Amino acid sequence: MIDEMIIAKKFSQEILDKAEKLKVSIPSVPEKLNSPFFFARFLHANNGDVEKTQKKILQLFEHRKLMGYDKISDLDIFTTIDIGKDCFERFHISQLNYEVTSRNLHVFVQRMDGMDIKEILKIMPLSYVLHSYFMLQENFSRAIAHTERKTGKTSSVVCILDLKGLNLMDFMNPLSGPAQLARLVVMIWAEYFSEHLCKLLLINPPGIISVMWQVTKRLVDPNTAEKLAFLNNVEDLKKYLEVDSIPVEYGGTYRDDTGYADPPEGACKPPKKITKEEYKPQEYIWNENGMLKAPKSKSFSIKAHQTAEYSIKTATAGKLVWSYTTSGDVDFEIVRRDAGKEMAIWPKITVTSLKLPEYGNKMVTPGEYILKFTNPTNTWFPAKVNCAAEVFNV
């Protein structure tokens, strides 16, 4: 009988040797993330490309620092960071128990029942979900590092994604909000965390599996598709994972009795219900700051691989507030420019605007701030961006 149990990937000696050299250029790895295989995991994900790996690692370090989740607990990431809290409470997800593994792998569960992505996108911008995905992967990375330090062996995360309750039609149109969200989340997974989340086990598909595959292929690249497995029967989870890592509701023995999950046998926390009263108006971020409508905006038409800048200066400390819409993908970031030098104050991510404008705020000191929009695509069509920003005294 073939053993189908999922195990963490072992890295080649070539990757391990490169990892030792990479440590010299990035000598300070955050304690919560550090492990014997930290650099090797990123190198393997980037096909041994040292320069690309270094860039990705430094971008991750920057994201966790700028978003403020670098020095707080796992629970605080889910409950105290505004963007993370607003997002995570709307999703039906488990937490990671550091001490429960299947062959050195951690198991994360997400359920689609009880949640509606279209509704989520009516109460928060898409970027909230994307930034929160980085935070979720921070949780994964900490658990992996803990287990690798403890065992001296490679670790990773397996996700059980329960598709029961999913409206498949929401994803048939590649331009729909749910499809765009899924595409950009998968892009982050592929670019930064392909070896952190090593397998996605999809159960209870809402239709014929062959149809699900056709939908999935529109959203993921071939390398990511290899990490997916659609299971015909929930019992098949036991072929891939040890029974004590599988929640009771799925035929295993694991319960989350910490008070987080309801019920404990399902290991997941139900999502907070969305009401129509929570739907955000287009001018929401400006209304929240005492304005009836957005200030005068600027429009940009950005060709492939070109960058447009929106500059705003302030002589006093205050709260920088911004809002923008875009017709397609843009890489968005904010920097502080001083004497020709730039320092990031808001991390770069690839995003597009959907139901709501993209918006946010950040406390700033006196100076010049640049909102940067880069078109990352190779298409002939320019990205149309309309942006407004203001600094408020607080």
Side-chain angles (χ1 to χ4, degrees):
M1 182 177 178
I2 299 175
D3 185 356
E4 298 181 77
M5 284 282 179
I6 304 171
I7 59 173
K9 189 170 293 181
K10 292 183 178 180
F11 304 118
S12 68
Q13 191 59 50
E14 180 184 1
I15 290 292
L16 294 173
D17 290 342
K18 285 186 176 182
E20 287 300 314
K21 294 179 181 179
L22 189 56
K23 286 180 183 179
V24 178
S25 60
I26 309 178
S28 180
V29 176
E31 182 181 357
K32 294 178 184 294
L33 305 183
N34 204 2
S35 82
F37 305 103
F38 174 84
F39 290 101
R41 183 163 32 257
F42 281 98
L43 277 164
H44 188 274
N46 291 293
N47 298 314
D49 187 325
V50 175
E51 184 177 347
K52 183 179 180 181
T53 299
Q54 181 178 12
K55 180 180 177 181
K56 293 295 182 184
I57 290 174
L58 293 177
Q59 286 174 343
L60 283 177
F61 288 177
E62 181 177 80
H63 190 280
R64 63 198 302 272
K65 181 178 179 180
L66 293 178
M67 298 302 292
Y69 60 90
D70 54 331
K71 297 180 180 178
I72 62 176
S73 71
D74 291 3
L75 183 60
D76 283 346
I77 291 175
F78 286 85
T79 59
T80 65
I81 300 292
D82 287 342
I83 286 178
K85 177 181 181 298
D86 291 346
C87 182
F88 290 129
E89 68 183 10
R90 307 297 182 170
F91 283 80
H92 203 168
I93 56 178
S94 71
Q95 60 181 348
L96 286 185
N97 184 328
Y98 281 23
E99 304 308 323
V100 177
T101 59
S102 171
R103 299 201 177 182
N104 236 41
L105 298 171
H106 294 273
V107 178
F108 176 76
V109 183
Q110 179 174 350
R111 301 174 58 151
M112 299 304 295
D113 62 318
M115 55 167 286
D116 186 333
I117 292 177
K118 290 187 298 183
E119 291 292 288
I120 290 173
L121 293 174
K122 293 177 182 178
I123 65 169
M124 68 182 69
L126 172 59
S127 62
Y128 275 38
V129 182
L130 302 180
H131 284 301
S132 296
Y133 186 69
F134 276 93
M135 297 179 197
L136 178 64
Q137 287 284 354
E138 167 83 8
N139 180 224
F140 291 179
S141 299
R142 293 181 183 187
I144 291 168
H146 166 85
T147 298
E148 289 181 343
R149 290 193 300 265
K150 180 180 177 181
T151 65
K153 299 177 181 179
T154 55
S155 179
S156 190
V157 174
V158 175
C159 176
I160 299 172
L161 180 57
D162 187 345
L163 299 175
K164 183 179 180 181
L166 176 74
N167 185 350
L168 189 58
M169 294 304 296
D170 288 346
F171 296 86
M172 296 298 286
N173 177 3
L175 298 180
S176 70
Q180 294 275 46
L181 182 152
R183 176 181 65 83
L184 290 171
V185 166
V186 169
M187 183 186 298
I188 295 171
W189 175 21
E191 287 190 3
Y192 293 95
F193 304 108
S194 63
E195 297 303 324
H196 293 69
L197 180 59
C198 67
K199 199 73 175 180
L200 189 60
L201 302 175
L202 300 103
I203 60 174
N204 295 322
I208 302 172
I209 286 182
S210 61
V211 176
M212 288 296 300
W213 264 118
Q214 292 304 314
V215 173
T216 302
K217 287 177 181 178
R218 298 177 185 177
L219 303 174
V220 304
D221 62 90
N223 289 334
T224 304
E226 291 181 359
K227 299 178 184 294
L228 310 183
F230 284 92
L231 306 189
N232 288 303
N233 192 308
V234 172
E235 282 293 309
D236 290 341
L237 286 171
K238 296 176 184 176
K239 296 179 181 178
Y240 298 97
L241 300 169
E242 293 177 340
V243 68
D244 56 359
S245 69
I246 302 172
V248 172
E249 284 193 0
Y250 298 127
T253 61
Y254 176 66
R255 296 168 48 99
D256 183 343
D257 291 308
T258 65
Y260 171 87
D262 183 18
E265 295 84 359
C268 292
K269 183 176 183 178
K272 182 179 178 182
K273 184 177 176 59
I274 295 172
T275 64
K276 290 184 178 180
E277 289 72 27
E278 294 178 282
Y279 290 175
K280 299 294 191 297
Q282 295 293 302
E283 308 288 350
Y284 169 76
I285 192 68
W286 304 110
N287 300 161
E288 284 292 289
N289 287 279
M291 298 180 69
L292 295 177
K293 61 179 182 178
K296 186 177 180 180
S297 62
K298 294 182 180 179
S299 296
F300 306 96
S301 181
I302 312 170
K303 296 180 180 179
H305 303 295
Q306 299 297 306
T307 299
E309 297 184 352
Y310 182 116
S311 173
I312 184 166
K313 297 179 180 180
T314 177
T316 60
K319 180 167 62 172
L320 172 61
V321 177
W322 66 88
S323 174
Y324 65 89
T325 59
T326 174
S327 63
D329 287 2
V330 293
D331 290 343
F332 174 71
E333 63 180 320
I334 305 177
V335 300
R336 186 179 192 276
R337 184 174 289 164
D338 186 13
K341 296 182 179 180
E342 293 183 351
M343 180 181 71
I345 71 160
W346 194 258
K348 180 194 293 186
I349 62 167
T350 302
V351 68
T352 189
S353 57
L354 298 174
K355 287 287 185 182
L356 291 172
E358 284 299 315
Y359 57 74
N361 64 82
K362 178 80 173 181
M363 299 304 297
V364 296
T365 55
E368 181 184 15
Y369 295 89
I370 312 296
L371 283 68
K372 289 189 172 186
F373 302 90
T374 301
N375 183 345
T377 69
N378 294 312
T379 66
W380 289 97
F381 303 102
K384 306 284 188 178
V385 174
N386 187 268
C387 176
E390 194 78 44
V391 176
F392 293 89
N393 294 325
V394 292

